């Protein structure tokens, strides 16, 4: 008796999986099979015992793809911060004040369209061309300061090392693209080619730039995966007939990306194996090692829900003065080491973000020191070394499921911090300097 079957087709590759529970066999039929696309499947017919993981992998595929096309601004580079800083200063000269709530009006647009939106939104007495002429030199001086989005270097390096064709397609002029990526070692050489918005008649949301990319790759659009941060980019990718993963660059916007095939919080959460590509191999016991980063300050009173509502005493830090640092790191659950100036070093797990269950209006930092303290320590200096990532921020259907997940995060962090990979940071010089300062 045939219990289940799954069929996936990508370009010239067809994979059909049949399961026969009574006989205990699973049959894979592959037409025009390509090892580069399905590197983990080596036999056509295998017994169930040896194929459970392969069957699970096949059923979890969204679609098998052969190449990845990346957007640049907002996706690979944290351009939004530079744009906000420049426009904040520029608008003051015109008697206007930058409003971050209008940032969505320029994200993903061509330079001219973005300039036109600014002129309209702020009722400026100049044309879009004049605004571009005045701000372009200012932006050009700032391109060297643009930071890579978390996970961008990891994604580019890993896909390149696994022979996955990579293309860069952006609404920015090609010269601007090349200037921006010249400050990031190895990026330019990683792409098969680069397409700028000035090389097509219409920029995104027109699909033209992605259709052109598929033509140059000599691939069917359906075998291409696009990774985008903006709605115009997502629309362009879908109109081109491609699969699209959205990584919204603006906070609290995920619900708008309904046309995307998948929406992720950051590039740290991208799972290439879902698309038939080689999986990352750097996850360690449910955690992702990251470049350590540091933050500290006096412990402040938070929303009063940690102990009272959740039964979890968090040690909140003020975000004042840390807006730039917070914008560099996506919301999610992290872990590392914490030092209280007068008490010592402890394991900690922390959330950064808007806590969707409580719908915060601002991005917060809420560490949980994994130790039972006899009394509160408000006002005491707290230094944090963040060394790993666990998961993206998420909403939950009930308070009980939220609490259960937080305790699961604690268990993952506690075990991970005993690994030499993370344990060494307990002796980080940042924490030692903090201790010396307090003595």
């Amino acid at each position: 008796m045939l219990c289940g079957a799954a069929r996936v087709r990508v370009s010239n590759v067809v994979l059909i999986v049949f399961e026969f529970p009574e006989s205990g066999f699973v049959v894979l039929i592959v037409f025009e099979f390509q090892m580069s696309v399905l590197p983990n499947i080596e036999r056509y017919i295998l017994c169930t015992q040896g194929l459970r993981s392969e069957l699970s992998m096949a059923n979890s595929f969204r679609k098998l793809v052969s190449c990845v096309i990346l957007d640049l601004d907002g996706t690979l580079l944290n351009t939004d911060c530079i744009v906000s800083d420049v426009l904040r200063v520029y608008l003051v000269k015109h008697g206007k004040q930058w409003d971050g709530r209008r940032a969505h009006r320029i994200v993903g647009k061509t330079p001219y369209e973005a300039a036109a939106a600014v002129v309209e939104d702020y009722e400026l007495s100049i044309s879009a061309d004049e605004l571009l002429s005045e701000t372009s030199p200012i932006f050009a001086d700032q391109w060297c300061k643009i930071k890579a989005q978390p996970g961008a270097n990891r994604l580019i390096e890993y896909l390149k090392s696994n022979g996955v064709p990579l293309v860069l397609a952006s609404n920015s002029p090609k010269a601007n693209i090349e200037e921006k990526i010249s400050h990031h070692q190895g990026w330019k050489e990683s792409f098969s080619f680069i397409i700028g918005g000035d090389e097509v008649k219409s920029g995104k949301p027109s699909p033209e730039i992605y259709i052109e990319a598929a033509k140059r790759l000599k691939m069917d659009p359906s075998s291409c995966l696009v990774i985008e941060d903006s709605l115009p980019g997502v629309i362009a990718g879908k109109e081109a007939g491609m699969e699209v993963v959205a990584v919204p660059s603006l906070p609290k916007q995920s619900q708008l990306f309904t046309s995307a095939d998948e929406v992720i919080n950051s590039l740290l959460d991208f799972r290439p194996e879902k698309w038939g590509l080689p999986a990352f191999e750097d996850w360690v016991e449910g955690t992702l090692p990251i470049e350590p980063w540091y933050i500290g300050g006096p412990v402040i009173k938070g929303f009063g829900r940690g102990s009272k509502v959740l039964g979890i005493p968090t040690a909140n830090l003020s975000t004042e003065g840390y807006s730039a640092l917070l914008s560099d790191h996506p919301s999610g659950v992290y872990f590392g080491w914490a030092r209280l100036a007068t008490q010592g070093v402890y394991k900690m797990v922390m959330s950064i973000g808007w806590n969707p269950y409580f719908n915060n209006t601002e991005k917060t930092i809420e560490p949980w020191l994994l130790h039972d303290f006899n009394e509160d320590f408000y006002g005491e200096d707290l230094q944090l070394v963040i060394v790993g990532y666990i998961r993206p921020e998420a909403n939950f259907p009930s308070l009980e499921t939220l609490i259960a997940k937080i305790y699961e995060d604690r268990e993952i962090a506690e075990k991970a911090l005993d690994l030499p990979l993370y344990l060494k940071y307990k002796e980080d010089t940042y924490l030692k300097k903090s201790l010396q300062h307090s003595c």
Side-chain angles (χ1 to χ4, degrees):
M1 176 180 178
L2 176 62
C3 178
R7 179 178 180 274
V8 183
R9 177 179 178 86
V10 175
S11 186
N12 60 336
V13 179
V14 179
L15 168 66
I16 304 177
V17 183
F18 296 99
E19 183 174 13
F20 300 87
E22 293 181 353
S23 60
F25 281 88
V26 172
V27 178
L28 280 110
I29 303 176
V30 184
F31 298 99
E32 298 183 66
F33 176 71
Q34 295 180 358
M35 288 298 292
S36 62
V37 177
L38 295 175
N40 295 322
I41 300 178
E42 300 177 350
R43 296 182 294 273
Y44 293 150
I45 303 177
L46 295 169
C47 65
T48 305
Q49 183 177 1
L51 191 58
R52 288 300 178 187
S53 62
E54 284 86 348
L55 179 63
S56 176
M57 180 183 67
N59 286 337
S60 67
F61 283 152
R62 293 177 178 273
K63 194 170 184 180
L64 305 178
V65 300
S66 303
C67 67
V68 176
I69 307 176
L70 297 167
D71 174 55
L72 181 63
D73 298 307
T75 302
L76 294 179
L77 294 178
N78 189 1
T79 318
D80 295 344
C81 286
I82 297 293
V83 171
S84 297
D85 289 344
V86 169
L87 291 179
R88 184 176 291 108
V89 174
Y90 177 81
L91 289 171
V92 169
K93 297 178 181 179
H94 290 265
K96 307 291 182 177
Q97 185 175 357
W98 167 253
D99 185 353
R101 292 171 298 180
R102 296 180 179 178
H104 69 279
R105 292 266 292 147
I106 62 176
V107 170
K109 302 290 182 66
T110 65
Y112 181 83
E113 290 170 340
V118 171
V119 169
E120 179 182 349
D121 288 350
Y122 294 91
E123 299 178 343
L124 302 182
S125 58
I126 58 174
S127 68
D129 285 324
E130 289 174 315
L131 188 149
L132 277 177
S133 177
E134 293 178 10
T135 58
S136 291
I138 304 174
F139 281 121
D141 289 338
Q142 299 297 313
W143 294 149
C144 62
K145 300 179 182 179
I146 303 178
K147 296 181 180 179
Q149 295 281 33
N153 283 305
R154 169 178 175 255
L155 175 64
I156 292 172
E157 291 171 5
Y158 195 67
L159 292 181
K160 179 187 176 183
S161 67
N162 281 274
V164 179
L166 287 173
V167 173
L168 190 56
S170 169
N171 266 348
S172 295
K174 188 172 182 179
N176 284 6
I177 297 172
E178 292 183 338
E179 171 62 23
K180 292 172 186 175
I181 67 174
S182 69
H183 303 286
H184 298 270
Q185 187 175 1
W187 279 25
K188 185 174 182 179
E189 299 78 21
S190 298
F191 297 106
S192 300
F193 53 85
I194 297 169
I195 305 181
D198 55 342
E199 296 183 89
V200 293
K201 292 181 180 179
S202 301
K204 308 168 190 177
S206 165
E208 184 181 353
I209 196 167
Y210 286 126
I211 293 173
E212 177 62 23
K215 287 180 180 178
R216 294 191 194 180
L217 284 167
K218 297 181 180 179
M219 292 186 180
D220 190 281
S222 65
S223 67
C224 301
L225 177 66
V226 169
I227 301 181
E228 272 278 2
D229 75 296
S230 70
L231 282 173
V234 170
I235 293 170
K238 293 308 299 179
E239 288 293 320
M242 299 178 178
E243 301 299 300
V244 180
V245 172
V247 195
S249 57
L250 296 180
K252 306 176 83 168
Q253 298 287 311
S254 297
Q255 74 280 1
L256 302 178
F257 289 78
T258 54
S259 60
D261 297 285
E262 183 182 17
V263 181
I264 59 178
N265 187 60
S266 77
L267 294 178
L268 298 177
D269 305 306
F270 179 61
R271 299 284 184 156
E273 64 271 23
K274 289 184 177 181
W275 306 96
L277 299 171
F280 286 116
E281 298 174 347
D282 50 358
W283 284 86
V284 180
E285 296 191 14
T287 69
L288 178 64
I290 61 174
E291 187 70 24
W293 56 282
Y294 309 88
I295 192 170
V299 178
I300 64 170
K301 289 192 175 184
F303 299 95
R305 64 189 178 217
S307 297
K308 296 178 182 178
V309 179
L310 301 173
I312 299 167
T314 56
N316 296 66
L317 287 175
S318 171
T319 58
E320 186 175 352
Y322 288 113
S323 58
L325 180 64
L326 288 180
S327 70
D328 289 341
H329 299 283
S331 59
V333 177
Y334 298 79
F335 65 96
W337 297 97
R339 178 182 289 282
L340 283 171
T342 63
Q343 301 193 50
V345 179
Y346 305 96
K347 295 177 178 178
M348 71 87 187
V349 62
M350 65 184 287
S351 70
I352 298 177
W354 291 265
N355 290 304
Y357 184 81
F358 295 103
N359 196 26
N360 287 4
T361 57
E362 64 179 28
K363 199 173 186 179
T364 60
I365 309 167
E366 300 183 31
W368 180 18
L369 276 59
L370 306 182
H371 178 80
D372 293 327
F373 295 92
N374 295 324
E375 57 186 5
D376 294 333
F377 40 83
Y378 293 122
E380 188 163 348
D381 282 339
L382 175 65
Q383 281 74 35
L384 306 176
V385 178
I386 297 90
V387 300
Y389 175 77
I390 296 177
R391 64 173 177 85
E393 189 175 50
N395 204 347
F396 295 89
S398 67
L399 186 63
E400 291 73 23
T401 55
L402 169 60
I403 294 173
K405 191 63 176 177
I406 293 174
Y407 274 94
E408 182 182 320
D409 296 333
R410 171 180 179 153
E411 182 178 356
I412 291 172
E414 282 192 308
K415 290 181 179 179
L417 287 167
D418 287 331
L419 299 173
L421 173 67
Y422 300 121
L423 183 60
K424 63 184 180 182
Y425 291 107
K426 187 177 182 180
E427 304 299 324
D428 193 280
T429 55
Y430 174 75
L431 299 178
K432 290 184 177 181
K433 289 179 181 178
S434 300
L435 178 63
Q436 293 168 358
H437 180 72
S438 65
C439 293

